[in-house]
Amino acid sequence: MSAIAEHPDEPVEVIQVLFALHPNFGAQELCGPLEVLTRALQKNNDPDSKAFECTIAASTPAVTSSSGLTVKADMNFEDAHENLNDYDVLIVPGGAGIDAILKCDPEKSEPTKLIRAFAALQTSDPSKERTLMSIGTASLLFAQAGILQGLAATTHPDYYTKLEILCKDAARRGNLEQTDVMEENYVVNNARFELGEKLEENPFILSKRPDGRRKSIARKGSNAWKESVRRRESVARRADMRLGGLRLITSGGVTSGLDASLYLVAAMVSHDSAIEVSRVMTYNWSKGVTVEGIDV
């Protein structure tokens, strides 16, 4: 069952989020998005109306970050695979441990197996709206898993070249479709929200890049959860999109992960909720984002 409510006047189900951790993950790449999502409310004046429920999966009962922070896992990867259909969002933080994972067989290593399984689940069952998001260098795992072909993506600035190489390798192994590696804050694929007739009046449109480069039709988010419900595409149309309409977000690093998480709140709950979270966290939300995909 989708996390999106069928009727805007009915209570919205809590969105189920799964964080997939690995040894030597980046602590801030976990804590930033976790803080954003756990603070988000369906109704800003109702502290009991939490929008997201977060669960942590890891290969061991506890996993330690590169900075020494140890986090207790709620489940192992075997259980995560078994219950994968229960989750609406899968988030993979990057960090120093990514390089070690890239040296392993992607068919056997975690969380790469979980990433591929989540993408495959959306392709086989497009009736549910799902989101896959990477923070920082975790997008390299997306590339290795072969799910970025034909899409756009970003990563930590120090790893742009490595992401390009991994995407080209995946293209050679797959159907030769290339990935557009972009030097952006975060990149959203398969966003499914109407732009409106007057683009210049839409607060989610980036009409001109701050650095003066070419204009973009990039969007900064959705109008609201309720409005997106009314315009949701049919299952058949979603199935025609890449990865079965899986919303795939890659972000550039720690602060980019915060921005992408706020985008996710705006897209799945409401823009007001995202603004309130950024206010409470005293964080200046940067909404420059390139969005690729089919608009419906």
Side-chain angles (χ1 to χ4, degrees):
M1 187 174 183
S2 174
I4 296 181
E6 293 294 336
H7 304 287
D9 295 329
E10 294 182 358
V12 179
E13 291 186 12
V14 175
I15 303 162
Q16 298 298 322
V17 180
L18 181 63
F19 282 86
L21 297 189
H22 51 85
N24 291 316
F25 68 91
Q28 293 184 81
E29 294 175 62
L30 165 68
C31 296
L34 186 63
E35 185 75 9
V36 168
L37 298 183
T38 54
R39 284 182 179 272
L41 300 174
Q42 296 170 15
K43 300 177 182 178
N44 285 338
N45 59 353
D46 182 1
D48 294 326
S49 64
K50 66 177 181 178
F52 298 89
E53 179 78 34
C54 297
T55 302
I56 292 176
S59 57
T60 54
V63 60
T64 302
S65 74
S66 57
S67 60
L69 174 69
T70 299
V71 176
K72 179 181 177 181
D74 298 304
M75 64 171 64
N76 57 32
F77 282 119
E78 182 178 342
D79 289 338
H81 279 277
E82 184 176 340
N83 299 298
L84 199 55
N85 196 44
D86 294 340
Y87 294 96
D88 306 291
V89 182
L90 174 61
I91 298 178
V92 186
I98 294 295
D99 287 334
I101 300 172
L102 290 172
K103 296 175 182 177
C104 301
D105 183 351
E107 300 283 345
K108 300 178 181 179
S109 61
E110 295 288 7
T112 313
K113 281 176 58 181
L114 193 69
I115 292 167
R116 296 179 68 175
F118 194 73
L121 184 60
Q122 181 67 33
T123 303
S124 64
D125 176 24
S127 63
K128 181 173 180 175
E129 181 176 323
R130 297 179 179 88
T131 300
L132 175 60
M133 185 164 81
S134 67
I135 312 297
T137 55
S139 58
L140 302 179
L141 300 183
F142 290 11
Q144 187 186 52
I147 63 173
L148 294 181
Q149 290 176 251
L151 301 176
T154 192
T155 190
H156 188 283
D158 290 345
Y159 287 81
Y160 288 146
T161 301
K162 188 159 190 174
L163 179 60
E164 289 178 338
I165 293 172
L166 287 170
C167 288
K168 289 183 187 217
D169 288 344
R172 283 192 289 269
R173 295 194 309 268
N175 56 13
L176 300 181
E177 284 189 289
Q178 300 298 314
T179 302
D180 186 5
V181 176
M182 312 186 80
E183 297 180 8
E184 295 285 353
N185 187 23
Y186 58 99
V187 176
V188 183
N189 295 271
N190 290 343
R192 298 174 295 281
F193 305 99
E194 293 178 355
L195 293 175
E197 296 181 0
K198 297 183 179 180
L199 301 187
E200 68 279 4
E201 296 180 5
N202 192 317
F204 299 97
I205 300 291
L206 179 63
S207 59
K208 185 176 181 180
R209 294 176 57 95
D211 57 11
R213 291 166 60 187
R214 64 179 177 81
K215 288 186 178 181
S216 168
I217 57 169
R219 282 175 293 150
K220 298 176 183 176
S222 75
N223 289 330
W225 174 286
K226 293 181 180 179
E227 292 181 15
S228 72
V229 171
R230 301 184 186 120
R231 299 192 293 264
R232 276 172 45 220
E233 72 278 17
S234 67
V235 173
R237 187 164 186 179
R238 182 184 290 161
D240 287 337
M241 299 170 73
R242 293 184 185 277
L243 301 177
L246 176 71
R247 182 192 287 110
L248 194 149
I249 305 173
T250 53
S251 61
V254 174
T255 56
S256 298
L258 286 171
D259 293 331
S261 300
L262 287 165
Y263 167 86
L264 194 60
V265 174
M268 301 190 75
V269 185
S270 73
H271 183 241
D272 287 344
S273 180
I275 291 296
E276 177 62 13
V277 172
S278 65
R279 184 195 69 79
V280 171
M281 294 178 63
T282 62
Y283 179 73
N284 186 19
W285 179 18
S286 174
K287 293 178 282 187
V289 55
T290 299
V291 179
E292 303 289 338
I294 300 174
D295 303 323
V296 296

